[in-house]
Amino acid sequence: MSPFFRRGSGRVTPEQAHRLVADGQAVLLDVRETQEWNAGHAPGALHLPLTRLMAGAPLPTAVRGRRVVAICRSGNRSRTAADFLAAVGVEATDVTGGMTAWARQGLPVTGVNGSGGVIA
């Protein structure tokens, strides 16, 4: 198991998350609500709001069997998501500072139509 993926306790920086996803070592799962996602998200991220995850919605097919890096706006919901996923056997971590830190580090953000996005 990678040192980044501890069952519910590991956290990564935005740069580490970007690298893990770019290298194919993990899938980025955005757990923000739909209006936040539509405003701007990391290219290639998958979307499943925390409210739906906690209500029992299945993970997107592309996530199943893969390591997951959860992300939200500031890092609070994604930490909850990573803990929840780890409790059900998924290797998961989350991004410290969330999409706010991601954008602040100059990492790409796209809107729902592929245009430049913002963090809402």
Side-chain angles (χ1 to χ4, degrees):
M1 183 182 311
S2 166
F4 293 125
F5 295 91
R6 298 182 198 117
R7 301 258 179 223
S9 62
R11 300 193 91 183
V12 295
T13 67
E15 295 85 0
Q16 290 168 324
H18 187 260
R19 193 171 327 110
L20 287 166
V21 172
D23 291 347
Q25 296 180 49
V27 174
L28 188 64
L29 182 66
D30 194 317
V31 297
R32 296 175 300 149
E33 293 301 320
T34 300
Q35 66 274 15
E36 295 171 288
W37 164 266
N38 288 344
H41 55 271
L46 299 175
H47 183 230
L48 179 61
L50 180 62
T51 53
R52 292 190 51 227
L53 176 67
M54 300 299 282
L59 289 171
T61 304
V63 172
R64 296 182 192 147
R66 306 269 320 270
R67 291 175 169 165
V68 174
V69 176
I71 194 165
C72 65
R73 185 176 194 282
S74 66
N76 292 322
R77 287 174 285 179
S78 60
R79 179 119 195 196
T80 299
D83 288 343
F84 176 82
L85 291 168
V88 297
V90 175
E91 283 188 74
T93 191
D94 75 298
V95 179
T96 303
M99 283 300 298
T100 302
W102 179 281
R104 193 172 33 245
Q105 294 300 312
L107 295 169
V109 177
T110 187
V112 71
N113 296 324
S115 60
V118 297
I119 307 307

